[in-house]
Amino acid sequence: MAGAGGRSWRDLLAGRARKRKSPFGSEAELQGAALRLLDQHQNLADLLLEVGDSAKPGVQDGAEHQGVSPESFIVSVLQDQASKLGVPTATLAAKNAVANMERICQDSASPSRVPLLNSDQRKRLSCLLQTVKDLLANNMFCRSLFCQELWKMKEPPVLEAVWHLHSRDITGLAELLERSPAGPAAVEWLCSSLCDLCEQVGDIPCGDNELAQCLLSDFAIVFLQNGFEQASELGRKVEFQKVAYICRAVLQRMLAWVLDAVGKEKQEDVSMVRAVRFWLKVFNVSLYGSVAHPDSLRQFFRHTLTEVLTYNPVLKVSDAIQMQKEWSFTRTCPLLTALFRKLLVAFSVKESICQLQQILETHEVNWQHVLSCVSTLVVCQAEAEQLFKDLLSHLLLKAFGNYDMENMITAFLIARQAALEGPAVFMPYSEWFKASFGNAGGQHGSSKKSLVFLFEFLSELVPFEAAPYLKVHIMYPPFVPTKHRALLLEYITLAKTRLADLKVAIEDMGLYEDLSATDEAVQPQAQALRDVEKALQIFENTRKIPTSVIEASIFRRPYYTSWFLPALLRPRVLPKTPDGHMAFIDSLKRADKIPSNLYSTYLQACHAMKEKVLQDDSKAEPSHSKEPLEQLKAELAELRTLIVDQAQWEDVAAQTAVVSDRLRGVLGDSSEENEAAPSNSPIQVAVPAPRLAPCHQRVVDLLLTSFCQTLLAASSFNPPARQGPCLSLVVKMMCGHRNLLPALLGRLCQLIYHQGPSLSAAHVLGLAAFVIHLSECRASIPGVEASFGVSQAVPGKALSVSEYWSSLLVCRTEESFAFCLRFCTAAAAYLMCKFSSCSREDFCALIPPGLIKKLQHLVPRLSLEARGALSEEPKTALSWSSLSCPSLNYRRASLCLWKQAGFQELLKEKAFQLSFREWLLMELEVCPEKDILSASERQDFHYWAIYQRYLPAPSAAGGCDGDLEKACGVIINAILDSSQRLDLGGCGHSKMSVSPEILCRLQLWWPRLEPVLCCQWKRLFGAPLAEELDRLRGWHGSSTRFLCSGAVFPVSDPPWLSAAFLHGAILQQSPRGRGREALERLGTGTEQLLVALLFFSLLDLISARIAPKEGVDFQTSLEWSLEILRCLEERGTSWPLLFRSAERDPGKCRVLHSAASDRHTRLLPLAFYSLTPCFHRELLQRDPTFLSVALQMYIQLLQLFVEGEVVPQSDQDSTEQDPLELISAARQFLLGAIPHCPAQSFGNIQLLLSTCEELDPELGATLLHFSRPAVDMELEEELELF
């Protein structure tokens, strides 16, 4: 009701209260006056809308000031009117509320019916509903009558208005539906309104969109709760059974609306797709939370899945056979796959497949929906593969048990559908067919009746079959006993006839055609090009004509001459140096596999092409559309977005399938290699120069770049352990593309083996994680035949993918050591973080042994702290995120990883222990002149590894049980195995320089080693010893004969090697054999041999000092050293340079120093001053370098004493000099020798003067005094020059 000027009753009431004091003395008087006024100006409907807004301040200022609340006022009005009309107050209120509802819903400015209210309608309805709530609170409102009256409205209420009634607890949707006079009409109204709502969501403001979602959610809960009640609720009264009917009918109608839209989606009606997607929110499990009973929810989803799979089953089995390729995951309508994915969330994979099986057994089905559901399951659920295999086995068992064609066709359709999604998620159809029927153990092999049943079934399929399936059946036919061979031949004849109708000749099948592919048959020209590429790859790796080519030239001559040779002999500009292609052609020509006239025509065409230069470098590369590659790039970017956002992980499997489909499109006809048949044939990689077609390299680089970017982006939010299985799924998908694997592995070879040191930190992290996931997929990757070039003595066995990438991590130079350490540390850190939650058994199964072994070689080699027992575990473990820090020190990072308890536990596992032999093979690959360690550091490492790690270690841990002979045998075997892998002639010099300690010590072990060596060489090579090893045996024999029979001793080149064997022979003779007579018989030209012999003798002298109990006698070694020195002095041979530092002296003595351990080298001053009895005045005069060497040795001797390297020992031999006595004797010798040294001797000591003055002031002063005349003389000589 409105007053003058359009003001509301409430405004008037409030205004008058403010203007003057009320004349009414009580509430009753005020109420009576108001009723009299209403009697004269009655509009109860307006009053309900106005009084309902009780929050306006005017009321509080006016009426409520007098103690009259709006609620009590409206009650009074209603009561008064009801008494006059003779009806209950609640009835009058309900009817007036419905009248208001109808007015509000009809006052829309829109010409058509819409499911949502505008803002004005919403405001008026809110006032009305507030009043109704107040009336309900006063028991003055009849809900049941209100619901009945709503159904009597001329037009059904707006859907939003009903939702407000429901959400504000005035009358629930279920109660409203219960009072509907006709169920079908209610269904029609609800479905029409819901469809309108879904279609409108794209064109409404954001706020309205949120309201629409709330409306849909609330109504969906009502539909579920009432449409799928529990068994305990089934006995409810008839009215609620009506509600259940309506709710189910609405859901059924809306599902039909969705499925009809799915069938029309190719019309690209964007608005309809958007509308359907909105309704699909009804199937979000999270929507129902705790408000719905779990059994009700499962019942709803189970019912819906059944309805989807049986909806409109008009397609025949023959239609499914011909069309199922179009129903793969990526080709199926996204709305349908979205629906399946939402429905399947409510069940385990096993439950989903069991329900699918039950539906197939009990209903007529829509084959498109069934097979799309199969694709969705195998793509989105990793466990589905094995469960589907089990289902297929069950179906075949039933089919052959009852000779039931329905189970048979179901099995074949499911097997083919699952195989459509690629080997990453399910075995190829060819493999399933072979596994099911290719041996006598198949279901068909039990009787002739079973065979007849199988071939009748296959024959009935033939008119509808695509060529790839027929080829599988022909190339991998079912196992048939000889006596029933006619059944098979009859089928093959029928299948070949069908192939001929399809214009596909079985004779034109490629040599390496992928029979697991289900796309349309590749044209013979394209297949022949692929066959040529594959044959070339095999030829370049083996240097032999592939067997398949030889067989084709004999047994498949039409294909060979009509397709293969023309593809091989396509004209091109021939390179100046014959390449692999030309070498292959020449080999075929020499084997009479290319007719002479065809070969001549080819050469003429190539010459003509060169003359015209028609195609230049682009001739061999077909043009590739950039569009498919751009599509792949876009889908990879979308996949990265999903992986990074944990909330979207449920969409990763579906997007991965889309990427796989795009990848298949990119490789398609431009693929230069397809998966060979059989599918498990090894992949060949030429490591020195892996061949990659440019088109394949672009694809592989895109995939690897995307993987690295995705990993780093995901790692910025979560560590690998919390990144889910997404990246595993992506790599598994890549491995499913068999024709991509050669390029992928070849590119890894280029990046790791050839370009490793130049890779950035991001590349290293990404590739390290990638190879870990590659190893995770090892079961689905064929073996890898890695050829390391002509130096490979014999072809190696096929490697697993883990062994393959581990073999690419070769440590030879400083740069490669640094890269391998970075790569292995990153890979191990990722592995230990990513799979930390796995069980011990599963975790160990995931770890590539080569990775852990490589770290056992690298970390102790580059970090002293890693040698021996660890003091304590680091306080903080190596984190994956820290590896991306630019300032990361990888030596420290690897040491941190090494010290972790988890890593140390791995080293206890036998499978991961680096044996002595494996360690030796790794060391034999190192280039000494390019090593990351200096010569002395390397010797220290070798000494630790051999004497402290492997020699005492038990054989169970890869050691030698403390057995020196066993250790020696391992060394020899390792050298032989290394020579088998490497070019012996090329690495001979390398061995001489890299392992002089080993070669020098061979002379001590040789009598026991020679039988083992000859035996092992014969085992490995079946031939006489190699020339270099036979020389070692010859030098040993010559040394023995020289000492025993007086024969002439031949000197080797280098002389130190024969000196080493002569030294060994002398040690094995009695002390009497070490006489002067033997040295004199060496004759002239053996001075360098004597110098080397002196050095080896001094090493024995030092060993006797270091370890007096190991059988080396100090006095005997000293006497023999003095004897050799006297012989050198008599010949006037210079020997002091023997004691110069190997780093300072790059001359001939460097290799001798490399044969000594670092400790022996540091103790050379001890040996030097043990020789003072032979230091005569003539030596001082003859050799100007002697003084500087003697001073250097004295300084080092003092430093050794200060550092504690030489101290008096309690168990010291009585013949040995006390270190202090030795230092004193050395000092007295120098003080006596300096005055007798020629002036030229002092020119080389200037750098030593300051050190001498610091350590021994008296000696320093003596040097300074006697060096001044030399300086003066030098000045005079310079002055004389002018």
Side-chain angles (χ1 to χ4, degrees):
M1 174 179 176
R7 297 173 68 190
S8 69
W9 166 257
R10 170 167 287 202
D11 291 338
L12 289 172
L13 192 64
R16 291 184 64 82
R18 285 192 294 268
K19 289 179 182 177
R20 62 182 174 86
K21 185 176 180 181
S22 174
F24 303 107
S26 66
E27 177 184 349
E29 291 179 16
L30 174 64
Q31 198 167 21
L35 289 173
R36 287 191 296 274
L37 180 62
L38 279 172
D39 239 357
Q40 300 171 16
H41 306 281
Q42 181 177 347
N43 189 333
L44 188 57
D46 284 345
L47 182 64
L48 290 177
L49 289 176
E50 293 174 2
V51 177
D53 190 0
S54 61
K56 290 195 176 182
V59 176
Q60 295 174 353
D61 293 340
E64 288 188 2
H65 177 74
Q66 295 292 327
V68 182
S69 68
E71 294 83 2
S72 62
F73 180 75
I74 193 63
V75 167
S76 299
V77 173
L78 285 169
Q79 286 176 332
D80 183 68
Q81 291 296 311
S83 64
K84 289 182 179 182
L85 295 173
V87 295
T89 304
T91 300
L92 181 61
K95 289 192 173 187
N96 274 280
V98 170
N100 272 290
M101 282 276 292
E102 189 166 19
R103 282 176 55 195
I104 291 170
C105 291
Q106 289 175 349
D107 286 350
S108 172
S110 174
S112 59
R113 298 288 298 168
V114 292
L116 298 179
L117 303 171
N118 59 36
S119 58
D120 179 64
Q121 289 174 304
R122 220 167 268 152
K123 180 179 178 182
R124 293 164 62 199
L125 180 63
S126 178
C127 292
L128 174 64
L129 296 186
Q130 182 58 49
T131 300
V132 171
K133 288 201 74 171
D134 295 339
L135 292 172
L136 280 169
N138 287 279
N139 201 25
M140 301 292 290
F141 188 84
C142 180
R143 271 197 178 95
S144 59
L145 180 63
F146 176 73
C147 292
Q148 291 172 2
E149 292 296 320
L150 275 176
W151 289 111
K152 295 178 182 178
M153 291 168 53
K154 292 180 182 179
E155 294 290 339
V158 174
L159 196 64
E160 183 187 339
V162 175
W163 174 70
H164 284 297
L165 292 173
H166 173 85
S167 62
R168 297 181 70 165
D169 293 327
I170 293 172
T171 180
L173 177 62
E175 186 178 0
L176 179 64
L177 296 177
E178 178 190 346
R179 301 295 178 181
S180 65
V187 171
E188 179 64 32
W189 163 68
L190 271 173
C191 290
S192 174
S193 298
L194 287 170
C195 288
D196 290 342
L197 176 71
C198 293
E199 291 168 0
Q200 190 176 341
V201 292
D203 304 316
I204 57 179
C206 181
D208 285 2
N209 206 319
E210 293 176 3
L211 184 146
Q213 292 190 43
C214 293
L215 185 157
L216 186 67
S217 301
D218 288 349
F219 281 11
I221 291 171
V222 173
F223 297 151
L224 171 63
Q225 290 174 331
N226 292 274
F228 297 90
E229 65 273 15
Q230 294 302 294
S232 61
E233 301 170 342
L234 293 179
R236 295 187 303 179
K237 55 185 181 179
V238 176
E239 290 84 351
F240 283 97
Q241 291 178 4
K242 180 200 294 185
V243 177
Y245 156 76
I246 293 174
C247 290
R248 276 186 174 245
V250 169
L251 291 172
Q252 191 89 357
R253 283 272 299 273
M254 293 304 294
L255 180 62
W257 175 69
V258 168
L259 296 177
D260 287 341
V262 164
K264 301 173 183 176
E265 195 207 14
K266 291 188 177 178
Q267 298 175 6
E268 298 182 356
D269 185 345
V270 177
S271 61
M272 178 56 72
V273 171
R274 186 172 57 204
V276 171
R277 284 198 179 278
F278 186 74
W279 174 254
L280 290 184
K281 295 178 185 292
V282 166
F283 301 105
N284 290 346
V285 171
S286 59
L287 175 71
Y288 302 96
S290 60
V291 299
H293 194 282
D295 290 343
S296 294
L297 182 65
R298 290 164 65 83
Q299 186 185 352
F300 169 43
F301 277 50
R302 187 179 292 110
H303 171 80
T304 304
L305 182 60
T306 302
E307 290 296 316
V308 173
L309 297 181
T310 58
Y311 181 77
N312 196 19
V314 296
L315 290 173
K316 301 176 182 177
V317 166
S318 58
D319 298 324
I321 294 170
Q322 293 174 298
M323 300 170 64
Q324 71 177 126
K325 184 180 69 173
E326 299 301 320
W327 303 335
S328 66
F329 184 83
T330 53
R331 296 186 182 185
T332 295
C333 167
L335 294 175
L336 184 59
T337 55
L339 175 59
F340 281 134
R341 289 171 58 201
K342 290 174 182 292
L343 292 174
L344 296 172
V345 167
F347 314 104
S348 69
V349 184
K350 186 174 183 180
E351 288 174 328
S352 299
I353 293 177
C354 285
Q355 185 176 351
L356 176 64
Q357 179 183 351
Q358 183 181 2
I359 293 169
L360 287 167
E361 291 174 349
T362 57
H363 293 75
E364 287 292 322
V365 296
N366 181 318
W367 279 111
Q368 179 180 3
H369 291 180
V370 167
L371 296 179
S372 295
C373 182
V374 169
S375 285
T376 303
L377 274 167
V378 295
V379 165
C380 297
Q381 301 290 345
E383 311 97 300
E385 180 178 14
Q386 186 56 50
L387 291 169
F388 269 119
K389 289 179 182 177
D390 296 340
L391 173 60
L392 292 172
S393 299
H394 173 75
L395 290 171
L396 289 179
L397 184 64
K398 289 185 66 176
F400 282 95
N402 301 318
Y403 302 108
D404 180 5
M405 286 287 186
E406 286 192 9
N407 279 306
M408 198 72 167
I409 190 60
T410 300
F412 270 69
L413 285 173
I414 290 176
R416 292 179 179 184
Q417 190 68 30
L420 281 174
E421 304 308 329
V425 294
F426 198 81
M427 63 196 304
Y429 174 73
S430 57
E431 291 185 16
W432 176 80
F433 190 81
K434 283 188 292 181
S436 301
F437 307 108
N439 56 70
Q443 298 291 335
H444 67 295
S446 58
S447 65
K448 180 181 179 181
K449 189 175 181 181
S450 296
L451 276 173
V452 171
F453 171 69
L454 172 63
F455 284 112
E456 281 182 355
F457 169 75
L458 292 176
S459 298
E460 288 186 16
L461 292 184
V462 167
F464 315 104
E465 290 277 46
Y469 296 119
L470 291 170
K471 288 181 180 181
V472 168
H473 299 166
I474 294 172
M475 299 303 292
Y476 305 114
F479 170 81
V480 178
T482 306
K483 60 182 178 180
H484 302 310
R485 196 77 177 164
L487 293 171
L488 174 62
L489 295 177
E490 184 180 349
Y491 168 75
I492 289 178
T493 301
L494 185 63
K496 285 187 175 180
T497 303
R498 168 66 175 165
L499 284 173
D501 293 341
L502 296 172
K503 295 182 172 52
V504 176
I506 196 72
E507 293 79 11
D508 290 341
M509 276 186 61
L511 307 184
Y512 306 103
E513 186 168 337
D514 178 11
L515 294 180
S516 68
T518 52
D519 292 334
E520 293 301 326
V522 179
Q523 291 301 312
Q525 299 95 324
Q527 184 60 50
L529 290 173
R530 299 176 183 180
D531 288 345
V532 167
E533 287 297 323
K534 181 69 178 179
L536 273 173
Q537 184 190 42
I538 297 173
F539 176 79
E540 289 178 350
N541 285 320
T542 64
R543 311 309 293 179
K544 294 179 181 178
I545 300 173
T547 304
S548 55
V549 176
I550 298 293
E551 290 175 349
S553 70
I554 301 171
F555 303 111
R556 300 186 56 201
R557 192 143 187 91
Y559 173 78
Y560 179 76
T561 56
S562 300
W563 301 112
F564 183 80
L565 285 182
L568 176 67
L569 301 176
R570 285 186 303 166
R572 64 185 184 121
V573 176
L574 298 177
K576 294 181 180 179
T577 303
D579 57 3
H581 195 142
M582 198 65 210
F584 182 43
I585 292 173
D586 289 341
S587 295
L588 288 172
K589 177 68 173 62
R590 289 194 298 271
D592 293 328
K593 299 301 178 184
I594 299 180
S596 299
N597 60 338
L598 189 60
Y599 182 74
S600 300
T601 303
Y602 167 69
L603 292 180
Q604 292 171 4
C606 291
H607 180 72
M609 182 170 284
K610 182 179 179 181
E611 292 294 323
K612 296 179 180 179
V613 197
L614 292 178
Q615 297 185 15
D616 198 22
D617 294 334
S618 63
K619 64 204 172 300
E621 293 297 332
S623 60
H624 302 281
S625 171
K626 290 185 178 180
E627 185 180 351
L629 198 63
E630 291 301 317
Q631 290 178 355
L632 174 61
K633 188 175 182 179
E635 298 298 351
L636 285 169
E638 175 64 21
L639 180 62
R640 180 165 61 252
T641 302
L642 298 177
I643 292 175
V644 170
D645 184 0
Q646 188 171 351
Q648 301 188 71
W649 280 359
E650 63 179 18
D651 297 325
V652 168
Q655 182 62 22
T656 302
V658 174
V659 170
S660 180
D661 186 65
R662 297 293 181 269
L663 182 56
R664 193 177 296 114
V666 171
L667 297 174
D669 290 338
S670 66
S671 170
E672 295 184 331
E673 286 178 21
N674 258 352
E675 173 194 347
S679 59
N680 60 350
S681 57
I683 299 169
Q684 278 109 12
V685 179
V687 175
R691 294 181 73 249
L692 260 78
C695 59
H696 272 175
Q697 181 166 334
R698 287 192 293 271
V699 174
V700 172
D701 282 353
L702 178 59
L703 292 172
L704 291 177
T705 300
S706 175
F707 179 91
C708 294
Q709 291 172 343
T710 303
L711 171 72
L712 295 177
S715 298
S716 64
F717 295 97
N718 289 305
R722 297 207 299 270
Q723 290 175 14
C726 303
L727 291 175
S728 297
L729 188 64
V730 171
V731 177
K732 186 180 180 184
M733 176 274 294
M734 292 184 199
C735 296
H737 291 271
R738 300 286 176 87
N739 55 344
L740 180 70
L741 284 175
L744 180 62
L745 298 181
R747 187 60 174 145
L748 285 178
C749 175
Q750 290 179 341
L751 293 170
I752 297 174
Y753 187 83
H754 294 281
Q755 303 170 26
S758 63
L759 295 178
S760 68
H763 287 130
V764 171
L765 292 178
L767 286 176
F770 182 80
V771 298
I772 293 299
H773 285 296
L774 209 58
S775 296
E776 187 185 7
C777 302
R778 61 193 177 281
S780 61
I781 302 176
V784 185
E785 290 182 352
S787 168
F788 285 84
V790 295
S791 62
Q792 190 170 350
V794 292
K797 68 178 181 68
L799 306 173
S800 70
V801 71
S802 299
E803 293 170 331
Y804 167 69
W805 66 257
S806 295
S807 71
L808 301 178
L809 293 164
V810 179
C811 301
R812 293 188 178 129
T813 65
E814 181 176 357
E815 294 79 12
S816 61
F817 265 110
F819 165 69
C820 286
L821 184 68
R822 292 164 59 207
F823 191 93
C824 293
T825 301
Y830 182 79
L831 177 76
M832 296 184 72
C833 182
K834 178 70 176 178
F835 303 102
S836 57
S837 60
C838 292
S839 67
R840 177 76 176 179
E841 182 180 358
D842 292 343
F843 181 59
C844 290
L846 283 169
I847 299 173
L851 170 64
I852 306 300
K853 292 181 178 182
K854 192 73 70 174
L855 283 167
Q856 289 177 75
H857 176 232
L858 287 168
V859 181
R861 198 177 199 275
L862 303 180
S863 298
L864 289 173
E865 292 180 61
R867 301 176 192 173
L870 298 177
S871 55
E872 61 179 7
E873 187 178 358
K875 295 179 181 178
T876 57
L878 178 65
S879 65
W880 171 250
S881 59
S882 67
L883 294 177
S884 59
C885 178
S887 60
L888 177 72
N889 183 310
Y890 262 91
R891 288 203 187 191
R892 285 201 294 268
S894 63
L895 185 61
C896 181
L897 175 71
W898 180 269
K899 289 182 176 181
Q900 287 178 208
F903 189 86
Q904 287 297 312
E905 284 297 314
L906 289 178
L907 301 185
K908 297 175 184 177
E909 297 284 341
K910 186 172 180 61
F912 304 137
Q913 290 173 349
L914 181 68
S915 68
F916 186 32
R917 176 183 175 278
E918 291 168 328
W919 177 85
L920 284 165
L921 290 173
M922 290 180 180
E923 276 301 304
L924 286 167
E925 289 181 334
V926 180
C927 298
E929 63 277 7
K930 298 180 180 178
D931 193 1
I932 197 170
L933 300 180
S934 67
S936 60
E937 288 173 332
R938 185 169 59 251
Q939 290 302 316
D940 277 350
F941 172 60
H942 287 175
Y943 186 89
W944 169 81
I946 295 173
Y947 292 105
Q948 296 181 33
R949 180 177 179 183
Y950 285 113
L951 184 59
S955 55
C960 304
D961 297 312
D963 187 336
L964 198 60
E965 185 173 352
K966 180 187 286 187
C968 182
V970 173
I971 291 172
I972 289 299
N973 279 333
I975 292 175
L976 295 180
D977 287 344
S978 178
S979 68
Q980 189 179 21
R981 295 191 306 173
L982 303 171
D983 176 33
L984 188 59
C987 71
H989 175 73
S990 175
K991 283 198 179 74
M992 296 296 183
S993 58
V994 77
S995 301
E997 181 181 14
I998 292 176
L999 289 171
C1000 289
R1001 291 184 182 275
L1002 283 179
Q1003 38 81 14
L1004 299 175
W1005 301 341
W1006 189 264
R1008 288 175 289 175
L1009 274 181
E1010 186 177 354
V1012 177
L1013 176 63
C1014 294
C1015 176
Q1016 293 299 325
W1017 184 272
K1018 187 175 182 181
R1019 173 183 66 82
L1020 289 168
F1021 301 103
L1025 281 178
E1027 182 181 354
E1028 293 293 331
L1029 293 173
D1030 195 49
R1031 281 188 192 178
L1032 297 179
R1033 182 165 62 177
W1035 289 326
H1036 173 70
S1038 297
S1039 301
T1040 304
R1041 288 192 297 273
F1042 171 71
L1043 291 177
C1044 296
S1045 63
V1048 175
F1049 184 71
V1051 180
S1052 66
D1053 183 19
W1056 60 262
L1057 193 54
S1058 52
F1061 276 88
L1062 178 58
H1063 177 67
I1066 290 172
L1067 288 179
Q1068 293 162 21
Q1069 302 294 325
S1070 65
R1072 293 188 298 275
R1074 303 182 184 178
R1076 185 178 182 83
E1077 181 267 337
L1079 296 176
E1080 289 177 346
R1081 281 195 295 107
L1082 283 173
T1084 59
T1086 57
E1087 287 75 16
Q1088 291 304 314
L1089 183 145
L1090 282 170
V1091 171
L1093 198 61
L1094 173 62
F1095 185 79
F1096 294 136
S1097 180
L1098 292 175
L1099 293 183
D1100 287 343
L1101 185 70
I1102 295 169
S1103 295
R1105 180 79 189 208
I1106 296 172
K1109 295 181 180 180
E1110 291 189 1
V1112 183
D1113 181 68
F1114 179 85
Q1115 188 60 32
T1116 303
S1117 297
L1118 177 59
E1119 291 175 358
W1120 179 236
S1121 300
L1122 291 171
E1123 194 65 44
I1124 298 172
L1125 187 58
R1126 290 189 189 98
C1127 189
L1128 285 168
E1129 283 297 305
E1130 289 176 1
R1131 297 188 181 207
T1133 303
S1134 177
W1135 55 266
L1137 290 178
L1138 196 62
F1139 293 89
R1140 295 289 292 271
S1141 168
E1143 282 78 7
R1144 295 184 183 180
D1145 177 27
K1148 297 178 180 179
C1149 295
R1150 180 177 62 85
V1151 71
L1152 291 175
H1153 282 264
S1154 68
S1157 73
D1158 192 55
R1159 190 174 184 193
H1160 279 78
T1161 304
R1162 288 199 306 272
L1163 292 177
L1164 278 176
L1166 191 76
F1168 181 87
Y1169 279 106
S1170 298
L1171 302 177
T1172 50
C1174 281
F1175 293 171
H1176 302 298
R1177 185 172 297 180
E1178 292 79 8
L1179 174 62
L1180 305 177
Q1181 296 292 331
R1182 187 181 71 247
D1183 194 338
T1185 64
F1186 178 79
L1187 179 59
S1188 64
V1189 172
L1191 284 172
Q1192 187 180 1
M1193 291 293 101
Y1194 177 68
I1195 291 170
Q1196 291 179 12
L1197 187 62
L1198 290 176
Q1199 291 171 337
L1200 287 172
F1201 183 79
V1202 170
E1203 294 168 3
E1205 289 274 356
V1206 287
V1207 293
Q1209 299 177 2
S1210 58
D1211 58 348
Q1212 187 170 306
D1213 192 328
S1214 59
T1215 60
E1216 293 183 41
Q1217 271 189 297
D1218 181 275
L1220 288 174
E1221 293 179 0
L1222 188 65
I1223 292 173
S1224 178
R1227 185 170 183 275
Q1228 292 304 317
F1229 167 75
L1230 285 172
L1231 289 173
I1234 289 172
H1236 302 286
C1237 288
Q1240 293 88 342
S1241 298
F1242 295 98
N1244 301 321
I1245 66 167
Q1246 300 305 313
L1247 296 176
L1248 301 173
L1249 267 176
S1250 59
T1251 309
C1252 280
E1253 290 173 339
E1254 180 183 348
L1255 294 175
D1256 190 334
E1258 183 182 354
L1259 182 63
T1262 304
L1263 277 173
L1264 189 61
H1265 173 75
F1266 286 97
S1267 64
R1268 284 175 179 167
V1271 175
D1272 294 341
M1273 183 184 70
E1274 289 173 4
L1275 288 174
E1276 290 174 4
E1277 288 176 352
E1278 289 178 4
L1279 288 173
E1280 289 175 358
L1281 293 175
F1282 297 96

